[in-house]
């Protein structure tokens, strides 16, 4: 061994032999320093009981008066040996896990603890546990049984934290060993090429204990051998050994036959014991939970008594979840003076913080109550202000509450809320409203320009009024509301802000768009507006206020013939685009719902196109009276008579008019579950507009169908 190369590692057995030989040899006379030994790692229990034999216990044991001849004499142990008759009486009072540690202390103690004549020691040790576990089964020894119950070492490889226990098998496994040794019956029988008949396979599985898990109800079922199946997990080495040497079973015998009961006796006994152990473990777990609950109650009671002695009350305790408080107060450890001295400052810091939080919440609640009183007076006062002008943007309830002047009045708790107090805020209130209007336009311009922003940029003035006015003058500076499906698809800034102020009174206008997944967003009508301007022959940079004037005067109009379209005097640029976009969106939905194998005699075409003879946009520079415009859709007397005659066949007054052509063109799933687009208008002009505009055909009596299931079209 001395000829090994430097740096090579000797086998573990050689190192162990060297240690034993060095301990048996007498100490050398030279002053050679002793080899340095590695200190045990912190937290480990190696060697904790190695000096138990040297502890003087004169009261409990009979110690011989003869002293050892020499410290290195092997007979030193026998000279100081405690009377062997007393060991079983003392060891029987230990916990089984402590008894296992004693057995590992030395060979002498191991011979005493593991002797067969001292089995009563293990039995008495198991009885010291409350509640007591089931007795040791016949197929296990008491030390093995105790190790399986109270230790976490793998029975195969010795790894720690082996949490998979199979009580019927009598082994504890780590994860890797469980995957190696526990297999399903199907895997062992079919992949192992055992070659048993199906009847004999059932017998073998009935004789083998299987995995019960932690559910005692499942374990109770598995006490019957006939319930063992191919899907259950078995201990593979034992299963293969039995399968290779199967028992002699009479021809035609089944698992349920009483004649085979002796074959299953051992397996049934194992499973009954496993069921008892699982139930015992569940009872132990419940007892531990009750003990922990009682310990927490005692800890909480002790903490409350000591805090009350310091002047605190239970009303000062945190009402919401507080992890630090729960850790200190609801611990299972007994509250001692030393622990209290350590946790008392931390508890007082938590209570002071909780008191400050409650005081702040109470102040905020008083501010909210004062704001509720201020808002009606503020609204009455703002209505009488003439210096604001007609085009001012007034904030909704949420933004009005957060105006600096209103907040200052609400937080001045000693000042009475009266109309005179509101009137005294006029100069500051006017400044706040002007700032609010500037910010409304600036943020709207950021939305149009698709520029991300945050409140810090707003406060620093990154958005100025001149830039905002230039952005809002574009023809595509239109908005939509995405909150709660309001239906506001294309609207001007004034329209969308008025909708926001009245319909969403509790939401801030200054919330960044998209922060909550909803909000005021851009209407995305840039391409549509350019197509309309190109069809009218107008420049694409035409300002929005010029387009509003052209639409209202009737110069720029839609000639689609829709009878629901208001007269030009009631329209503006946003309303015109809203009308066209709604029609285009409806066409997109109809195109998706159209059948692939529809009748080619019927067509579906868009109503609003911007090229060719069917162009829906007209721009006429000749002025004329916009009030005396002709009716958009003209219905001749013959067609009107046919429609009225068909409507006389309406079964009920509330029956829905359905377009037969739309029904033929629409796929069945949409026709059955989304029939809203099949509905016809109730007016004669609307029916003609639908038939001619969408399907490019003259009206026929068969084009109108009736449906009395009104709820389907709501």
């Amino acid at each position: 061994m001395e000829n090994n190369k430097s740096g090579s590692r000797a086998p573990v057995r050689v190192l162990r032999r060297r240690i034993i030989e060095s301990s048996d040899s007498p100490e050398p006379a030279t002053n050679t320093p002793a080899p340095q030994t590695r200190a045990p790692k912190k937290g480990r229990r190696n060697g904790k009981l190695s000096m138990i034999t040297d502890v003087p216990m004169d009261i409990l044991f009979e110690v011989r008066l003869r002293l050892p001849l020499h410290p290195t004499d092997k007979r030193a142990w026998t000279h100081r040996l405690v009377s062997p008759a007393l060991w079983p009486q003392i060891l029987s009072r230990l916990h089984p896990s402590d008894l296992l540690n004693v057995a590992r202390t030395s060979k002498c103690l191991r011979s005493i603890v593991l002797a067969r004549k001292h089995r009563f020691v293990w039995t008495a040790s198991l009885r010291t546990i409350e509640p007591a576990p089931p007795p040791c089964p016949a197929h296990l020894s008491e030390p093995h049984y105790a190790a399986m119950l109270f230790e976490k070492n793998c029975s195969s490889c010795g790894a720690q934290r082996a949490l998979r226990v199979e009580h019927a098998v009598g082994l504890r496994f780590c994860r890797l060993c469980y995957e190696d040794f526990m297999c399903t019956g199907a895997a062992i029988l079919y992949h192992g090429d055992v070659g048993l008949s199906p009847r004999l396979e059932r017998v073998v599985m009935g004789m083998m204990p299987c995995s019960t898990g932690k559910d005692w109800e499942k374990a109770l079922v598995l006490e019957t051998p006939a319930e063992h199946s191919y899907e259950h997990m078995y201990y593979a080495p034992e299963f293969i050994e039995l399968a290779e040497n199967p028992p002699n079973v009479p021809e035609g015998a089944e698992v349920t036959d009483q004649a085979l009961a002796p074959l299953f006796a051992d397996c049934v006994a194992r499973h009954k014991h496993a069921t008892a152990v699982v139930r015992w473990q569940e009872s132990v777990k419940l007892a531990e939970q009750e003990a922990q609950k009682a310990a927490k109650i005692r800890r909480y009671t002790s903490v409350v008594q000591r805090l009350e002695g310091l002047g605190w009350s239970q009303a000062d305790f945190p009402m919401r979840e507080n992890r630090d408080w729960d850790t200190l107060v609801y611990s299972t450890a007994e509250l001692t003076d030393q622990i209290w001295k350590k946790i008392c400052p931390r508890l007082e810091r938590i209570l002071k913080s909780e008191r400050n939080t409650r005081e702040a919440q109470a102040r905020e609640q008083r501010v909210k109550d004062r704001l509720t009183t201020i808002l009606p007076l503020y609204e009455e006062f703002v209505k009488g202000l003439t210096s604001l002008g007609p085009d001012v943007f007034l904030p909704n309830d949420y933004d009005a509450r957060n105006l600096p002047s209103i907040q200052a009045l609400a937080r001045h708790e000693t000042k009475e809320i009266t109309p005179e107090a509101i009137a005294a805020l006029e100069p500051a209130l006017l400044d706040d409203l002007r700032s609010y209007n500037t910010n409304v336009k600036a943020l709207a311009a950021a939305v149009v320009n698709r520029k991300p922003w945050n409140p810090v940029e707003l406060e620093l003035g990154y958005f100025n009024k001149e830039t905002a006015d230039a952005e809002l003058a574009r023809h595509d500076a239109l908005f939509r509301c995405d909150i709660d499906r309001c239906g506001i698809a294309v609207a001007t800034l004034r329209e969308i802000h008025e909708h926001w102020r009245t319909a969403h009174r509790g939401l801030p206008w200054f919330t960044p768009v998209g922060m909550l997944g909803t909000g005021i967003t851009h209407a995305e009508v840039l391409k549509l507006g350019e197509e309309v301007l190109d069809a009218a022959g107008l420049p694409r940079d035409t300002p929005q206020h010029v387009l509003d004037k052209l639409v209202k005067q009737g110069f720029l109009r839609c000639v689609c013939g829709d009878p629901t379209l208001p007269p030009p005097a009631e329209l503006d640029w946003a309303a015109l685009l809203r009308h066209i976009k709604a029609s285009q969106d409806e066409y997109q939905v109809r195109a998706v719902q159209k059948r692939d194998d529809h009748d080619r005699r019927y067509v579906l075409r868009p109503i609003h196109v911007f090229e060719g003879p069917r162009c829906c946009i007209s721009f006429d520079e000749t002025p004329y009276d916009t009030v005396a415009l002709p009716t958009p859709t003209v219905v001749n007397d013959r067609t009107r008579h046919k429609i009225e005659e068909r409507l006389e066949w309406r079964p009920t007054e509330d029956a829905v008019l359905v377009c037969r052509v739309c029904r033929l063109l629409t796929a069945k799933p949409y026709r059955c579950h989304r029939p809203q687009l099949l509905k016809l208008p109730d007016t004669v002009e609307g029916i003609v507009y639908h038939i001619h505009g969408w399907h490019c055909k003259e009206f026929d009596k068969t084009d109108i169908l009736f449906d009395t299931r009104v709820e389907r079209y709501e």
Side-chain angles (χ1 to χ4, degrees):
M1 303 298 285
E2 289 78 0
N3 297 330
N4 288 347
K5 295 181 180 180
S6 61
S8 62
R9 298 184 58 184
V12 178
R13 289 174 294 181
V14 176
L15 295 177
R16 187 182 294 115
R17 188 181 302 113
R18 289 180 181 176
I19 295 174
I20 295 174
E21 292 174 355
S22 62
S23 62
D24 292 342
S25 60
E27 294 183 356
T30 58
N31 295 328
T32 304
Q36 296 182 358
T37 58
R38 182 179 299 177
K41 293 183 179 180
K42 186 177 180 180
R44 297 189 63 181
R45 303 181 61 185
N46 294 345
K48 297 297 183 180
L49 296 175
S50 61
M51 302 300 294
I52 189 173
T53 58
D54 296 333
V55 176
M57 299 183 181
D58 300 340
I59 299 176
L60 298 178
F61 305 119
E62 298 177 0
V63 182
R64 300 188 180 183
L65 298 178
R66 182 181 177 184
L67 297 177
L69 299 178
H70 194 274
T72 60
D73 192 350
K74 296 182 180 179
R75 295 176 297 171
W77 164 251
T78 60
H79 298 312
R80 307 186 63 178
L81 183 63
V82 179
S83 176
L86 294 178
W87 278 108
Q89 301 177 19
I90 299 173
L91 297 178
S92 61
R93 301 178 182 273
L94 298 179
H95 191 275
S97 60
D98 297 331
L99 204 55
L100 290 169
N101 292 331
V102 170
R104 299 187 183 101
T105 303
S106 65
K107 291 183 179 180
C108 183
L109 288 179
R110 178 182 179 87
S111 63
I112 295 175
V113 173
L114 299 184
R116 288 184 175 271
K117 63 180 181 180
H118 294 153
R119 291 183 61 184
F120 70 92
V121 174
W122 294 92
T123 305
S125 178
L126 290 172
R127 284 200 299 265
T128 60
I129 302 171
E130 289 294 337
C136 179
H139 65 282
L140 295 178
S141 64
E142 283 76 4
H144 187 168
Y145 183 49
M148 186 179 66
L149 289 181
F150 302 107
E151 290 192 341
K152 306 297 183 183
N153 298 330
C154 178
S155 302
S156 177
C157 66
Q160 297 179 353
R161 293 191 57 81
L163 305 179
R164 292 169 172 82
V165 187
E166 298 300 336
H167 299 289
V169 179
L171 296 174
R172 179 185 287 271
F173 296 104
C174 62
R175 180 180 61 83
L176 297 178
C177 292
Y178 185 86
E179 295 175 356
D180 291 340
F181 294 104
M182 296 298 294
C183 304
T184 61
I188 299 174
L189 292 172
Y190 297 151
H191 298 288
D193 296 332
V194 179
L196 298 179
S197 63
R199 181 177 59 85
L200 198 55
E201 289 177 355
R202 300 288 298 180
V203 173
V204 171
M205 287 188 295
M207 295 175 61
M208 288 301 304
C210 58
S211 176
T212 58
K214 298 181 180 180
D215 187 2
W216 68 268
E217 294 182 351
K218 176 183 177 182
L220 186 63
V221 173
L222 293 176
E223 291 180 5
T224 305
E227 297 295 334
H228 296 195
S229 64
Y230 296 96
E231 291 76 17
H232 290 123
M233 304 291 288
Y234 300 90
Y235 184 49
E238 191 176 2
F239 193 103
I240 294 174
E241 182 180 358
L242 181 60
E244 292 177 350
N245 302 285
N248 295 326
V249 180
E251 188 68 25
E254 297 294 339
V255 181
T256 56
D257 294 348
Q258 292 296 327
L260 300 181
L263 295 177
F264 307 134
D266 181 66
C267 181
V268 171
R270 288 192 181 191
H271 272 284
K272 287 184 177 181
H273 181 268
T275 304
V277 172
V278 172
R279 285 188 170 182
W280 170 75
Q281 288 180 339
E282 185 174 349
S283 64
V284 169
K285 184 178 180 180
L286 293 176
E288 290 178 354
Q289 292 176 355
E290 293 295 331
Q292 291 179 359
K293 184 177 179 181
K296 290 181 179 180
I297 293 175
R298 290 194 301 269
R299 173 71 172 249
Y300 175 79
T301 305
S302 302
V303 170
V304 170
Q305 292 176 354
R306 301 208 182 199
L307 287 176
E308 289 177 350
L310 296 177
W312 300 94
S313 64
Q314 296 190 31
D316 299 325
F317 293 176
M319 300 299 295
R320 62 187 185 278
E321 183 179 357
N322 190 314
R323 182 177 299 179
D324 295 337
W325 172 268
D326 295 341
T327 303
L328 298 175
V329 175
Y330 296 102
S331 175
T332 57
E334 198 71 26
L335 185 63
T336 61
D337 293 339
Q338 184 178 1
I339 295 177
W340 173 250
K341 184 178 180 180
K342 183 178 180 180
I343 69 172
C344 180
R346 298 172 62 185
L347 291 175
E348 288 190 323
R349 284 197 299 269
I350 294 174
L351 292 176
K352 291 178 181 178
S353 176
E354 183 69 18
R355 177 182 291 177
N356 295 335
T357 302
R358 292 181 181 179
E359 291 177 355
Q361 292 176 351
R363 287 195 300 269
E364 291 299 324
Q365 185 60 41
R366 291 194 297 270
V367 170
K368 289 181 180 179
D369 296 339
R370 289 175 61 85
L371 286 172
T372 304
T373 307
I374 291 174
L375 280 181
L377 300 177
Y378 154 79
E379 292 179 356
E380 291 295 331
F381 176 75
V382 169
K383 291 179 181 178
L385 286 178
T386 58
S387 57
L388 292 176
D391 297 334
V392 68
F393 295 100
L394 295 178
N396 62 359
D397 291 351
Y398 184 94
D399 291 331
R401 288 170 175 264
N402 290 277
L403 293 176
S405 55
I406 299 297
Q407 279 285 322
L409 178 60
R411 295 186 180 279
H412 199 301
E413 298 185 5
T414 59
K415 192 171 185 178
E416 187 178 359
I417 301 174
T418 58
E420 292 75 12
I422 302 295
L425 299 176
E426 181 176 356
L429 193 58
L430 290 175
D431 292 340
D432 294 341
L433 291 177
R434 293 189 187 98
S435 176
Y436 176 81
N437 279 257
T438 301
N439 292 334
V440 167
K441 294 182 179 180
L443 297 181
V447 172
V448 172
N449 204 23
R450 298 175 180 83
K451 180 180 180 181
W453 61 276
N454 55 61
V456 176
E457 294 179 349
L458 181 65
E459 294 177 1
L460 295 178
Y462 287 0
F463 301 100
N464 53 62
K465 185 177 179 180
E466 292 75 11
T467 305
D469 291 339
E471 294 291 341
L472 295 176
R474 294 166 43 180
H475 69 85
D476 65 323
L478 301 172
F479 308 89
R480 73 169 185 266
C481 180
D482 291 341
I483 295 182
D484 298 334
R485 299 181 180 179
C486 292
I488 308 299
V490 181
T492 61
L493 175 59
R494 185 158 303 281
E495 292 173 343
I496 200 68
H497 186 272
E498 184 64 21
H499 163 77
W500 188 272
R501 191 178 71 86
T502 56
H504 307 295
R505 306 176 69 90
L507 295 177
W509 176 264
F510 296 134
T511 299
V513 176
M515 176 180 291
L516 303 177
T518 56
I520 300 301
T521 57
H522 191 247
E524 304 292 345
V525 291
L526 175 62
K527 183 178 179 181
L528 177 61
E530 291 176 350
E531 290 178 348
V532 173
L533 293 176
D534 293 343
L538 296 174
R540 291 187 175 183
D541 58 350
T542 305
Q544 189 175 143
H545 66 277
V546 175
L547 296 174
D548 290 339
K549 185 176 180 181
L550 293 177
V551 173
K552 286 183 177 296
Q553 293 179 354
F555 295 116
L556 181 62
R557 60 186 183 275
C558 178
V559 294
C560 66
D562 189 353
T564 61
L565 188 65
E570 301 177 7
L571 294 175
D572 57 5
W573 171 249
L576 179 64
L577 292 187
R578 184 163 55 244
H579 163 72
I580 298 174
K581 190 174 187 304
S583 177
Q584 289 185 340
D585 294 343
E586 183 179 351
Y587 173 75
Q588 294 294 333
V589 176
R590 290 179 180 274
V592 171
Q593 297 181 359
K594 188 172 65 172
R595 296 173 54 179
D596 295 334
D597 56 344
H598 65 277
D599 193 341
R600 300 302 175 183
R601 295 178 298 174
Y602 304 106
V603 297
L604 175 67
R605 66 174 187 176
I607 295 178
H608 292 85
V609 294
F610 307 106
E611 296 178 350
R614 295 182 55 245
C615 180
C616 65
I617 299 300
S618 174
F619 180 71
D620 191 354
E621 299 181 0
T622 303
Y624 58 92
D625 187 5
T626 59
V627 179
L629 287 175
T631 304
T633 301
V634 179
V635 183
N636 55 41
D637 296 339
R638 182 171 176 272
T639 303
R640 184 180 297 275
H641 177 71
K642 291 170 61 177
I643 295 175
E644 292 176 351
E645 184 179 356
R646 177 58 178 166
L647 293 179
E648 291 179 356
W649 290 87
R650 200 170 190 171
T652 59
E653 293 183 359
D654 58 347
V656 179
L657 305 182
V658 178
C659 177
R660 180 181 65 89
V661 181
C662 290
R663 183 179 176 83
L664 293 174
L665 293 177
T666 305
K668 185 176 181 180
Y670 301 103
R671 190 169 65 244
C672 297
H673 303 290
R674 298 179 183 177
Q676 289 80 7
L677 293 181
L678 307 181
K679 186 177 178 181
L680 281 172
D682 291 332
T683 61
V684 175
E685 290 77 7
I687 294 173
V688 173
Y689 171 77
H690 177 92
I691 298 296
H692 179 72
W694 290 111
H695 307 302
C696 192
K697 67 183 294 293
E698 297 297 330
F699 175 77
D700 188 82
K701 287 185 177 182
T702 59
D703 291 339
I704 299 179
L705 303 177
F706 303 105
D707 194 347
T708 57
R709 297 170 294 180
V710 183
E711 65 279 357
R712 299 179 64 228
Y713 299 88
E714 295 178 354

